[in-house]
Amino acid sequence: QEFERDQIAQYLQTRCGEDAKRVETFIDSNYNLADLSRRPVLLDMIVTTASTLDTELGAVGPGQLYRSYTDIWLDSNDWNTVLDVDAKTEFLQNLAVRLWDEPLRQIPSDEIPKLISTWKPALTAAEREDLDRDLRTAAFLVRDAEGHYRFSNQSVLEYFLARHLIARAALKQLEPWLTVTMTAEIYRFIQDLLPE
């Protein structure tokens, strides 16, 4: 269940103590973190990341923040598959592209195994099943009552889509840049993620 504002404040007070106000200000001053913080698992990730980023980098761009906590989650979560963080990230980028083309930004659950097979045809059936199971419990994805999956938040979708566009450009594959309908938030993520 998503937290209400007072539950977020209570969590911050319990977890951060006298530092709660600084973390709350950090959340309120970065793109869409207030909305993301309503999900308990993401609030925990934001709190974990905020202390590191806040002290090491000063002003934090959304791309840096999202990269930090998505990498922490992908690296520390006990996935059953043999895929490394880069491979998991690549799949989530491909999923973002697929969902971006959908009017409701969601797909039926039976589309996920097809997407996995198209992405990595060399995976064994057991590896595909493990990845499919892991994705169904990933913090970044939610399922509705009808069994449709989507990213937990529009900004998470935009983040992985921005990562996809940057990765394709690095490979000189510019077709996605011509077909993706851009938003200001995607541009912002791209700007923040690109090296200087």
Side-chain angles (χ1 to χ4, degrees), residues 137-181:
T137 59
F140 306 130
L141 299 177
V142 292
R143 182 177 72 94
D144 66 15
E146 288 78 39
H148 294 92
Y149 281 84
R150 61 178 171 77
F151 279 94
S152 58
N153 185 280
Q154 176 80 5
S155 63
V156 177
L157 170 61
E158 292 163 341
Y159 165 76
F160 280 110
L161 189 56
R163 294 270 313 255
H164 174 79
L165 291 169
I166 291 169
R168 297 285 71 80
L171 297 171
K172 308 252 188 290
Q173 298 171 359
L174 302 180
E175 194 227 340
W177 289 83
L178 303 174
T179 58
V180 168
T181 304

Short mmCIF file of all heavy atoms in Angstrom, two decimals, residues 137-181:
data_model
loop_
_atom_site.label_atom_id
_atom_site.label_comp_id
_atom_site.label_asym_id
_atom_site.label_seq_id
_atom_site.Cartn_x
_atom_site.Cartn_y
_atom_site.Cartn_z
N THR A 137 7.99 -9.38 -9.37
CA THR A 137 8.10 -8.92 -7.98
C THR A 137 9.04 -7.72 -7.85
O THR A 137 9.39 -7.31 -6.76
CB THR A 137 8.63 -10.06 -7.09
OG1 THR A 137 9.90 -10.49 -7.57
CG2 THR A 137 7.67 -11.24 -7.09
N ALA A 138 9.47 -7.16 -8.99
CA ALA A 138 10.41 -6.03 -8.96
C ALA A 138 9.74 -4.79 -8.37
O ALA A 138 8.56 -4.53 -8.62
CB ALA A 138 10.90 -5.74 -10.38
N ALA A 139 10.52 -4.04 -7.63
CA ALA A 139 10.00 -2.82 -7.00
C ALA A 139 9.58 -1.79 -8.04
O ALA A 139 8.73 -0.95 -7.77
CB ALA A 139 11.05 -2.20 -6.09
N PHE A 140 10.14 -1.85 -9.24
CA PHE A 140 9.85 -0.85 -10.25
C PHE A 140 8.57 -1.14 -11.02
O PHE A 140 8.12 -0.30 -11.79
CB PHE A 140 10.99 -0.78 -11.27
CG PHE A 140 12.33 -0.55 -10.66
CD1 PHE A 140 13.40 -1.36 -10.98
CD2 PHE A 140 12.53 0.46 -9.75
CE1 PHE A 140 14.64 -1.16 -10.42
CE2 PHE A 140 13.77 0.68 -9.18
CZ PHE A 140 14.83 -0.15 -9.51
N LEU A 141 8.01 -2.33 -10.87
CA LEU A 141 6.83 -2.72 -11.63
C LEU A 141 5.66 -2.99 -10.70
O LEU A 141 5.84 -3.49 -9.59
CB LEU A 141 7.12 -3.98 -12.46
CG LEU A 141 8.23 -3.87 -13.49
CD1 LEU A 141 8.44 -5.22 -14.18
CD2 LEU A 141 7.93 -2.79 -14.52
N VAL A 142 4.47 -2.67 -11.17
CA VAL A 142 3.25 -2.97 -10.42
C VAL A 142 2.27 -3.67 -11.35
O VAL A 142 2.31 -3.48 -12.57
CB VAL A 142 2.61 -1.70 -9.82
CG1 VAL A 142 3.48 -1.11 -8.73
CG2 VAL A 142 2.31 -0.67 -10.89
N ARG A 143 1.41 -4.47 -10.74
CA ARG A 143 0.41 -5.23 -11.50
C ARG A 143 -0.97 -4.80 -11.03
O ARG A 143 -1.22 -4.68 -9.82
CB ARG A 143 0.61 -6.73 -11.27
CG ARG A 143 -0.34 -7.61 -12.05
CD ARG A 143 -0.01 -9.07 -11.81
NE ARG A 143 -0.37 -9.49 -10.48
CZ ARG A 143 -1.52 -10.08 -10.15
NH1 ARG A 143 -2.43 -10.30 -11.08
NH2 ARG A 143 -1.76 -10.44 -8.91
N ASP A 144 -1.87 -4.59 -11.99
CA ASP A 144 -3.24 -4.25 -11.61
C ASP A 144 -4.07 -5.52 -11.44
O ASP A 144 -3.58 -6.64 -11.64
CB ASP A 144 -3.87 -3.26 -12.60
CG ASP A 144 -4.08 -3.86 -13.99
OD1 ASP A 144 -4.02 -5.10 -14.15
OD2 ASP A 144 -4.32 -3.08 -14.93
N ALA A 145 -5.34 -5.36 -11.11
CA ALA A 145 -6.22 -6.50 -10.83
C ALA A 145 -6.42 -7.38 -12.06
O ALA A 145 -6.69 -8.57 -11.95
CB ALA A 145 -7.56 -6.00 -10.31
N GLU A 146 -6.29 -6.80 -13.25
CA GLU A 146 -6.47 -7.57 -14.49
C GLU A 146 -5.18 -8.24 -14.96
O GLU A 146 -5.17 -8.91 -15.98
CB GLU A 146 -6.99 -6.66 -15.61
CG GLU A 146 -8.44 -6.23 -15.44
CD GLU A 146 -8.59 -5.10 -14.43
OE1 GLU A 146 -7.73 -4.20 -14.40
OE2 GLU A 146 -9.57 -5.14 -13.66
N GLY A 147 -4.09 -8.05 -14.23
CA GLY A 147 -2.84 -8.71 -14.59
C GLY A 147 -1.96 -7.91 -15.53
O GLY A 147 -1.02 -8.47 -16.11
N HIS A 148 -2.22 -6.63 -15.70
CA HIS A 148 -1.38 -5.78 -16.54
C HIS A 148 -0.21 -5.22 -15.72
O HIS A 148 -0.42 -4.83 -14.57
CB HIS A 148 -2.18 -4.61 -17.12
CG HIS A 148 -3.23 -5.06 -18.09
ND1 HIS A 148 -4.52 -5.32 -17.69
CD2 HIS A 148 -3.17 -5.30 -19.42
CE1 HIS A 148 -5.23 -5.69 -18.75
NE2 HIS A 148 -4.44 -5.69 -19.80
N TYR A 149 0.96 -5.19 -16.35
CA TYR A 149 2.15 -4.66 -15.68
C TYR A 149 2.52 -3.31 -16.26
O TYR A 149 2.38 -3.06 -17.46
CB TYR A 149 3.33 -5.62 -15.83
CG TYR A 149 3.26 -6.78 -14.87
CD1 TYR A 149 2.50 -7.90 -15.16
CD2 TYR A 149 3.92 -6.73 -13.65
CE1 TYR A 149 2.41 -8.95 -14.27
CE2 TYR A 149 3.84 -7.78 -12.75
CZ TYR A 149 3.10 -8.89 -13.07
OH TYR A 149 3.00 -9.93 -12.18
N ARG A 150 3.01 -2.45 -15.36
CA ARG A 150 3.50 -1.13 -15.76
C ARG A 150 4.59 -0.75 -14.78
O ARG A 150 4.75 -1.37 -13.73
CB ARG A 150 2.39 -0.09 -15.75
CG ARG A 150 1.75 0.12 -14.39
CD ARG A 150 0.67 1.20 -14.41
NE ARG A 150 -0.07 1.24 -13.17
CZ ARG A 150 0.37 1.76 -12.03
NH1 ARG A 150 1.56 2.33 -11.97
NH2 ARG A 150 -0.38 1.74 -10.94
N PHE A 151 5.36 0.28 -15.13
CA PHE A 151 6.33 0.81 -14.18
C PHE A 151 5.56 1.47 -13.03
O PHE A 151 4.47 2.00 -13.22
CB PHE A 151 7.27 1.81 -14.84
CG PHE A 151 8.39 1.15 -15.59
CD1 PHE A 151 8.28 0.89 -16.95
CD2 PHE A 151 9.56 0.76 -14.94
CE1 PHE A 151 9.30 0.27 -17.65
CE2 PHE A 151 10.58 0.13 -15.63
CZ PHE A 151 10.46 -0.12 -16.98
N SER A 152 6.15 1.43 -11.85
CA SER A 152 5.47 1.92 -10.66
C SER A 152 5.17 3.40 -10.73
O SER A 152 4.30 3.89 -10.04
CB SER A 152 6.31 1.63 -9.41
OG SER A 152 7.58 2.23 -9.54
N ASN A 153 5.88 4.10 -11.60
CA ASN A 153 5.73 5.54 -11.67
C ASN A 153 6.16 5.99 -13.07
O ASN A 153 7.07 5.42 -13.66
CB ASN A 153 6.61 6.17 -10.59
CG ASN A 153 6.43 7.66 -10.51
OD1 ASN A 153 7.00 8.40 -11.30
ND2 ASN A 153 5.65 8.11 -9.54
N GLN A 154 5.51 7.01 -13.58
CA GLN A 154 5.85 7.55 -14.90
C GLN A 154 7.31 7.96 -14.97
O GLN A 154 7.98 7.76 -15.99
CB GLN A 154 4.95 8.75 -15.20
CG GLN A 154 5.24 9.48 -16.50
CD GLN A 154 4.67 8.78 -17.73
OE1 GLN A 154 3.97 7.78 -17.63
NE2 GLN A 154 4.99 9.31 -18.89
N SER A 155 7.86 8.52 -13.90
CA SER A 155 9.24 8.99 -13.95
C SER A 155 10.23 7.84 -14.04
O SER A 155 11.29 7.98 -14.65
CB SER A 155 9.55 9.86 -12.73
OG SER A 155 9.45 9.13 -11.54
N VAL A 156 9.91 6.68 -13.47
CA VAL A 156 10.78 5.51 -13.59
C VAL A 156 10.79 5.04 -15.04
O VAL A 156 11.84 4.70 -15.61
CB VAL A 156 10.35 4.38 -12.64
CG1 VAL A 156 11.21 3.14 -12.83
CG2 VAL A 156 10.42 4.85 -11.20
N LEU A 157 9.63 5.03 -15.67
CA LEU A 157 9.53 4.69 -17.10
C LEU A 157 10.36 5.66 -17.93
O LEU A 157 11.14 5.25 -18.80
CB LEU A 157 8.06 4.73 -17.53
CG LEU A 157 7.76 4.63 -19.02
CD1 LEU A 157 8.26 3.34 -19.63
CD2 LEU A 157 6.26 4.78 -19.27
N GLU A 158 10.23 6.95 -17.67
CA GLU A 158 10.99 7.96 -18.42
C GLU A 158 12.49 7.81 -18.21
O GLU A 158 13.28 7.98 -19.15
CB GLU A 158 10.53 9.36 -18.01
CG GLU A 158 9.11 9.67 -18.45
CD GLU A 158 8.49 10.85 -17.71
OE1 GLU A 158 8.99 11.23 -16.63
OE2 GLU A 158 7.49 11.38 -18.22
N TYR A 159 12.88 7.47 -17.00
CA TYR A 159 14.30 7.26 -16.70
C TYR A 159 14.87 6.12 -17.54
O TYR A 159 15.91 6.27 -18.19
CB TYR A 159 14.49 6.98 -15.20
CG TYR A 159 15.84 6.40 -14.89
CD1 TYR A 159 16.97 7.20 -14.87
CD2 TYR A 159 16.00 5.04 -14.65
CE1 TYR A 159 18.23 6.67 -14.60
CE2 TYR A 159 17.25 4.51 -14.38
CZ TYR A 159 18.36 5.32 -14.37
OH TYR A 159 19.60 4.79 -14.12
N PHE A 160 14.21 4.95 -17.53
CA PHE A 160 14.74 3.82 -18.29
C PHE A 160 14.66 4.08 -19.79
O PHE A 160 15.51 3.62 -20.55
CB PHE A 160 14.02 2.52 -17.91
CG PHE A 160 14.53 1.92 -16.64
CD1 PHE A 160 13.76 1.91 -15.50
CD2 PHE A 160 15.81 1.37 -16.58
CE1 PHE A 160 14.24 1.36 -14.31
CE2 PHE A 160 16.31 0.83 -15.40
CZ PHE A 160 15.51 0.82 -14.26
N LEU A 161 13.68 4.84 -20.24
CA LEU A 161 13.60 5.20 -21.66
C LEU A 161 14.77 6.12 -22.03
O LEU A 161 15.39 5.95 -23.09
CB LEU A 161 12.26 5.88 -21.95
CG LEU A 161 11.94 6.14 -23.42
CD1 LEU A 161 11.99 4.86 -24.24
CD2 LEU A 161 10.56 6.76 -23.54
N ALA A 162 15.10 7.06 -21.17
CA ALA A 162 16.26 7.93 -21.42
C ALA A 162 17.55 7.11 -21.47
O ALA A 162 18.40 7.34 -22.34
CB ALA A 162 16.36 9.00 -20.32
N ARG A 163 17.69 6.14 -20.57
CA ARG A 163 18.88 5.27 -20.59
C ARG A 163 18.95 4.50 -21.91
O ARG A 163 20.02 4.32 -22.48
CB ARG A 163 18.84 4.27 -19.42
CG ARG A 163 18.95 4.83 -18.04
CD ARG A 163 20.36 4.95 -17.50
NE ARG A 163 21.23 3.83 -17.63
CZ ARG A 163 21.58 3.00 -16.65
NH1 ARG A 163 21.07 3.15 -15.44
NH2 ARG A 163 22.44 2.03 -16.86
N HIS A 164 17.80 4.05 -22.41
CA HIS A 164 17.75 3.32 -23.68
C HIS A 164 18.22 4.22 -24.83
O HIS A 164 19.03 3.79 -25.66
CB HIS A 164 16.34 2.82 -23.95
CG HIS A 164 16.16 2.19 -25.29
ND1 HIS A 164 16.57 0.91 -25.58
CD2 HIS A 164 15.66 2.68 -26.44
CE1 HIS A 164 16.31 0.63 -26.84
NE2 HIS A 164 15.76 1.69 -27.39
N LEU A 165 17.72 5.44 -24.86
CA LEU A 165 18.09 6.35 -25.95
C LEU A 165 19.59 6.64 -25.93
O LEU A 165 20.24 6.67 -26.99
CB LEU A 165 17.28 7.65 -25.83
CG LEU A 165 15.79 7.50 -26.13
CD1 LEU A 165 15.04 8.76 -25.73
CD2 LEU A 165 15.54 7.15 -27.58
N ILE A 166 20.15 6.85 -24.77
CA ILE A 166 21.59 7.11 -24.66
C ILE A 166 22.39 5.89 -25.11
O ILE A 166 23.37 6.01 -25.85
CB ILE A 166 21.95 7.51 -23.21
CG1 ILE A 166 21.35 8.89 -22.89
CG2 ILE A 166 23.46 7.52 -23.01
CD1 ILE A 166 21.43 9.26 -21.43
N ALA A 167 21.95 4.71 -24.69
CA ALA A 167 22.66 3.47 -25.07
C ALA A 167 22.62 3.25 -26.57
O ALA A 167 23.62 2.87 -27.18
CB ALA A 167 22.05 2.27 -24.34
N ARG A 168 21.47 3.52 -27.18
CA ARG A 168 21.37 3.35 -28.65
C ARG A 168 22.23 4.38 -29.38
O ARG A 168 22.87 4.06 -30.38
CB ARG A 168 19.91 3.48 -29.09
CG ARG A 168 18.98 2.42 -28.53
CD ARG A 168 19.10 1.03 -29.17
NE ARG A 168 20.29 0.28 -28.87
CZ ARG A 168 20.51 -0.42 -27.74
NH1 ARG A 168 19.64 -0.41 -26.78
NH2 ARG A 168 21.62 -1.10 -27.57
N ALA A 169 22.26 5.61 -28.89
CA ALA A 169 23.09 6.64 -29.53
C ALA A 169 24.56 6.26 -29.46
O ALA A 169 25.31 6.48 -30.42
CB ALA A 169 22.85 7.99 -28.87
N ALA A 170 24.99 5.68 -28.34
CA ALA A 170 26.39 5.26 -28.20
C ALA A 170 26.75 4.19 -29.23
O ALA A 170 27.91 4.09 -29.65
CB ALA A 170 26.63 4.73 -26.79
N LEU A 171 25.75 3.42 -29.67
CA LEU A 171 25.97 2.39 -30.68
C LEU A 171 25.68 2.91 -32.09
O LEU A 171 25.65 2.13 -33.04
CB LEU A 171 25.08 1.17 -30.39
CG LEU A 171 25.36 0.45 -29.07
CD1 LEU A 171 24.27 -0.60 -28.79
CD2 LEU A 171 26.74 -0.19 -29.09
N LYS A 172 25.44 4.22 -32.21
CA LYS A 172 25.09 4.86 -33.48
C LYS A 172 23.79 4.31 -34.08
O LYS A 172 23.61 4.28 -35.29
CB LYS A 172 26.24 4.71 -34.49
CG LYS A 172 27.59 5.15 -33.98
CD LYS A 172 28.01 6.44 -34.63
CE LYS A 172 29.43 6.85 -34.30
NZ LYS A 172 29.64 7.27 -32.94
N GLN A 173 22.89 3.86 -33.20
CA GLN A 173 21.57 3.40 -33.61
C GLN A 173 20.57 4.49 -33.24
O GLN A 173 20.09 4.56 -32.12
CB GLN A 173 21.23 2.08 -32.91
CG GLN A 173 22.17 0.95 -33.26
CD GLN A 173 21.94 -0.28 -32.39
OE1 GLN A 173 21.09 -0.30 -31.50
NE2 GLN A 173 22.71 -1.32 -32.65
N LEU A 174 20.27 5.33 -34.21
CA LEU A 174 19.49 6.54 -33.91
C LEU A 174 17.99 6.41 -34.17
O LEU A 174 17.24 7.34 -33.91
CB LEU A 174 20.06 7.71 -34.70
CG LEU A 174 21.54 8.01 -34.43
CD1 LEU A 174 22.02 9.19 -35.25
CD2 LEU A 174 21.78 8.26 -32.94
N GLU A 175 17.56 5.25 -34.65
CA GLU A 175 16.15 5.10 -34.96
C GLU A 175 15.23 5.38 -33.77
O GLU A 175 14.21 6.07 -33.93
CB GLU A 175 15.86 3.69 -35.51
CG GLU A 175 14.49 3.58 -36.15
CD GLU A 175 13.73 2.34 -35.70
OE1 GLU A 175 14.35 1.38 -35.21
OE2 GLU A 175 12.51 2.38 -35.82
N PRO A 176 15.56 4.92 -32.55
CA PRO A 176 14.66 5.25 -31.42
C PRO A 176 14.49 6.74 -31.21
O PRO A 176 13.43 7.19 -30.77
CB PRO A 176 15.35 4.59 -30.21
CG PRO A 176 16.20 3.51 -30.79
CD PRO A 176 16.64 4.02 -32.14
N TRP A 177 15.51 7.53 -31.53
CA TRP A 177 15.41 8.98 -31.37
C TRP A 177 14.39 9.58 -32.34
O TRP A 177 13.85 10.65 -32.08
CB TRP A 177 16.78 9.63 -31.60
CG TRP A 177 17.74 9.36 -30.48
CD1 TRP A 177 18.51 8.26 -30.31
CD2 TRP A 177 18.01 10.21 -29.37
NE1 TRP A 177 19.25 8.37 -29.16
CE2 TRP A 177 18.97 9.55 -28.57
CE3 TRP A 177 17.55 11.46 -28.98
CZ2 TRP A 177 19.47 10.12 -27.40
CZ3 TRP A 177 18.05 12.01 -27.81
CH2 TRP A 177 19.00 11.34 -27.03
N LEU A 178 14.13 8.88 -33.42
CA LEU A 178 13.17 9.36 -34.41
C LEU A 178 11.75 8.91 -34.10
O LEU A 178 10.80 9.50 -34.58
CB LEU A 178 13.57 8.89 -35.80
CG LEU A 178 14.97 9.29 -36.28
CD1 LEU A 178 15.29 8.63 -37.61
CD2 LEU A 178 15.08 10.80 -36.39
N THR A 179 11.61 7.83 -33.33
CA THR A 179 10.29 7.25 -33.12
C THR A 179 9.70 7.52 -31.74
O THR A 179 8.48 7.43 -31.57
CB THR A 179 10.33 5.73 -33.35
OG1 THR A 179 11.29 5.15 -32.46
CG2 THR A 179 10.71 5.40 -34.79
N VAL A 180 10.53 7.84 -30.77
CA VAL A 180 10.02 8.08 -29.41
C VAL A 180 9.50 9.51 -29.30
O VAL A 180 10.17 10.46 -29.69
CB VAL A 180 11.14 7.85 -28.36
CG1 VAL A 180 10.72 8.37 -27.00
CG2 VAL A 180 11.49 6.38 -28.28
N THR A 181 8.28 9.65 -28.80
CA THR A 181 7.73 10.97 -28.52
C THR A 181 8.35 11.46 -27.21
O THR A 181 8.13 10.88 -26.15
CB THR A 181 6.20 10.90 -28.38
OG1 THR A 181 5.66 10.33 -29.56
CG2 THR A 181 5.62 12.28 -28.14
#
